[in-house]
Amino acid sequence: MRSGDDPFLSKFGKSGTDLAGQVAVSTLFFAAVALVVCFPLVNTDIWWHLAAGRLIVDSGWIHNDPLAADTLGRPWIDLHWLFQVAAFLLHRGGGPLALVLAKCALCGIGAVLLARGAREAAEDRAAALLCAVLLVAALYPVRYLSLARPVVLTLVLLAAFLLVVERFRSHRRPLVLLWLLPLQVVWANAQPLFVLGPLLVGCYLAGDGLSSWLARRNVAGFL
């Protein structure tokens, strides 16, 4: 029996082809973004982060700021500690090149997650592909703002939050939302902008609540 004569095999083949196409497009998009943001380290504060990471690895948790002249010895809550430890270990193993490659990889991953989230929201493959192309085009003129800093993790995690919420909205599977918990834990220990995660979820809840409220009142455009 040929695969075309069996509906199940035909569907399986179509799904496999679709998945291969998605992987190919995502890989191309990842490579394009990573290439655009690939340049040597130019931000001087990375050395402060590396110094803090070295202190944490060598001495344990830091309770006082030993690095800045104007805050020397004062109590310090290091909200970047996870980024700093990871950056220090990367630098110790591969030098500045490892940090550059890690930044490029994170930017590429964040862009792919954002494109996937856009596809879930639009339910249109062509629209998602257009958004991806526009993102690369818009990123190129400001590529030198993509520095090896903790904010890169925020961009990746924000895109991950968006993808998780949009996937829940598309498939209505509550278990998908459990991914938000580990993402939030990592975010809260890597960058102070972790409040954007709950804020994003709150915006979605507020938007859905407003849409339901307007629909119940038969407001034009929400029927």
Side-chain angles (χ1 to χ4, degrees):
M1 179 184 295
R2 293 176 301 176
S3 61
D5 298 331
D6 191 326
F8 175 78
L9 293 178
S10 178
K11 182 178 180 181
F12 179 80
K14 183 179 180 181
S15 299
T17 302
D18 184 63
L19 178 60
Q22 292 180 29
V23 171
V25 171
S26 296
T27 302
L28 181 62
F29 186 40
F30 171 88
V33 172
L35 184 62
V36 165
V37 301
C38 186
F39 54 85
L41 294 176
V42 294
N43 53 309
T44 56
D45 63 341
I46 186 62
W47 310 114
W48 174 79
H49 286 300
L50 291 175
R54 183 184 67 245
L55 288 174
I56 295 172
V57 170
D58 293 343
S59 307
W61 193 257
I62 300 175
H63 298 283
N64 299 299
D65 187 356
L67 301 172
D70 56 340
T71 59
L72 191 63
R74 293 182 182 178
W76 184 25
I77 300 177
D78 188 2
L79 297 176
H80 301 99
W81 76 270
L82 188 58
F83 169 84
Q84 292 166 344
V85 169
F88 169 71
L89 294 177
L90 280 171
H91 185 267
R92 185 170 66 178
L97 178 61
L99 294 177
V100 172
L101 294 178
K103 179 205 69 173
C104 294
L106 287 173
C107 288
I109 291 171
V112 170
L113 292 176
L114 186 60
R116 294 290 298 174
R119 180 179 176 184
E120 292 285 348
E123 297 182 353
D124 187 335
R125 188 176 305 177
L129 184 59
L130 177 61
C131 288
V133 173
L134 291 176
L135 177 60
V136 175
L139 183 62
Y140 183 78
V142 296
R143 61 193 181 280
Y144 289 114
L145 297 178
S146 304
L147 304 174
R149 302 184 64 185
V151 71
V152 173
L153 289 176
T154 284
L155 297 176
V156 174
L157 292 167
L158 187 60
F161 257 68
L162 179 68
L163 174 59
V164 169
V165 175
E166 286 295 345
R167 183 151 292 182
F168 166 73
R169 284 162 57 88
S170 298
H171 304 288
R172 294 299 176 183
R173 296 175 182 172
L175 290 179
V176 173
L177 295 176
L178 292 179
W179 281 102
L180 297 179
L181 297 178
L183 291 173
Q184 185 63 53
V185 170
V186 172
W187 202 347
N189 288 277
Q191 222 272 336
L193 290 176
F194 64 88
V195 294
L196 292 178
L199 182 61
L200 176 67
V201 175
C203 288
Y204 270 98
L205 291 174
D208 287 345
L210 180 61
S211 297
S212 299
W213 183 80
L214 293 172
R216 286 196 300 269
R217 284 155 178 76
N218 296 325
V219 177
F222 290 89
L223 299 179

